[in-house]
Amino acid sequence: QNSNNDSNDSSLSFLLSSILYLIDKTEVCHQDKNDFYLRQVLAPRLHNSKEGFSMERQELHNRFGAKPPITEKWIRSLLVSMTHDEKEILRTNQKERRTLIQSGWINDILFQREKKVVMPEIFFWDLEHLQSIRNKTRVAAAGCALGYFACISASKDPESFLKEEEPSKEGGPLVEVMMKSKGYHHSIEEYEQSVEDCVISLAKSWGDGSLNNNNNNSQVIDTLRGQTKSILKGQSP
């Protein structure tokens, strides 16, 4: 009898495991089917037609209303400095309206010097991309400034790089360090130190070897470290 009970328990356990496995497998297959439909059918259709714009506009209206207040206020601010004739052109010229929004997006939202504009609702889905563009632009601008000061310290003409057929690869380590988030390092000071070391190494590689003599050029290196700190902190003009 005990043997029969063990056999029954084993069969029941196998049955339950099989059912649970099939349920789990069904859910996975259902999700795979939805993902395939999204990638191969829905996404291309939305991309190649105007349906995507209509859906996004409808979702925007459902969430924020037909006239999102912050967006409306922002667009009105773009018209303040325009003449009557320029406003009339906007009424009939879609290209001019698009140009106005693009200009406002770049100057007021993307690269605003001071936080004067609250994010309009129409950019609600672009926050992640906005932060990514700002970070990459910040690294590019700071990297150019650091490269310039490294050239000056190495007594190398910055314009000489424009005459090279292939871009220099010597700045690769600096770009790599700067592209890593500050959270990658244990502290802000460690991040700044890593960038400083890369800039000094870059200046030495571009120079004639005189910067490797620390006794004669310690002042130049100290100045370069100070300039690097100022750029990273946004204090350099």
Side-chain angles (χ1 to χ4, degrees):
Q1 186 175 0
N2 290 334
S3 177
N4 290 335
N5 290 336
D6 291 341
S7 177
N8 291 337
D9 290 342
S10 177
S11 299
L12 181 60
S13 177
F14 175 77
L15 177 62
L16 291 175
S17 298
S18 300
I19 292 174
L20 292 175
Y21 172 79
L22 291 174
I23 292 174
D24 183 64
K25 196 65 176 177
T26 301
E27 292 178 352
V28 171
C29 291
H30 181 69
Q31 185 61 47
D32 288 343
K33 183 191 72 173
N34 290 339
D35 292 343
F36 176 83
Y37 179 78
L38 177 63
R39 292 194 306 269
Q40 303 298 328
V41 180
L42 185 58
R45 190 179 77 187
L46 295 177
H47 180 73
N48 297 323
S49 69
K50 294 183 179 180
E51 290 185 63
F53 294 107
S54 300
M55 291 176 62
E56 185 173 356
R57 185 181 296 109
Q58 186 60 49
E59 178 63 23
L60 182 73
H61 289 172
N62 292 340
R63 184 183 290 262
F64 301 108
K67 291 185 177 181
I70 300 177
T71 300
E72 184 176 11
K73 181 179 179 181
W74 173 62
I75 293 177
R76 288 184 182 277
S77 71
L78 299 178
L79 303 175
V80 170
S81 59
M82 299 185 71
T83 65
H84 175 75
D85 291 340
E86 289 173 333
K87 293 179 182 178
E88 287 299 317
I89 293 176
L90 289 176
R91 294 179 185 276
T92 58
N93 193 318
Q94 182 180 8
K95 182 179 179 181
E96 290 296 325
R97 293 196 297 269
R98 185 180 296 274
T99 300
L100 176 67
I101 296 299
Q102 289 175 342
S103 176
W105 155 254
I106 293 173
N107 297 325
D108 292 346
I109 306 297
L110 191 57
F111 300 126
Q112 58 176 311
R113 293 181 178 274
E114 300 176 2
K115 192 173 181 179
K116 300 181 295 183
V117 180
V118 180
M119 182 67 69
E121 297 90 344
I122 57 173
F123 300 126
F124 178 77
W125 289 280
D126 300 313
L127 294 178
E128 183 177 346
H129 297 296
L130 172 64
Q131 189 60 44
S132 175
I133 294 172
R134 282 177 173 171
N135 287 339
K136 290 178 180 178
T137 304
R138 174 185 57 79
V139 170
C144 288
L146 293 174
Y148 173 81
F149 283 123
C151 283
I152 300 303
S153 299
S155 300
K156 183 178 180 67
D157 183 8
E159 294 188 2
S160 64
F161 289 104
L162 300 177
K163 302 176 183 178
E164 296 181 356
E165 295 183 359
E166 295 185 2
S168 173
K169 297 181 179 179
E170 295 169 320
L174 173 61
V175 175
E176 183 178 350
V177 169
M178 294 188 69
M179 286 301 293
K180 291 179 180 177
S181 64
K182 295 180 181 179
Y184 178 85
H185 299 81
H186 295 295
S187 65
I188 296 296
E189 290 75 16
E190 182 182 331
Y191 169 75
E192 292 176 350
Q193 183 67 49
S194 298
V195 175
E196 287 176 30
D197 292 341
C198 286
V199 173
I200 292 171
S201 176
L202 187 61
K204 289 180 178 180
S205 68
W206 284 342
D208 56 5
S210 59
L211 280 179
N212 292 316
N213 187 341
N214 292 329
N215 293 328
N216 297 331
N217 294 283
S218 59
Q219 184 177 357
V220 175
I221 292 177
D222 289 343
T223 299
L224 186 56
R225 285 190 181 277
Q227 292 169 331
T228 301
K229 281 189 173 71
S230 297
I231 291 172
L232 294 179
K233 293 178 179 179
Q235 298 172 348
S236 175

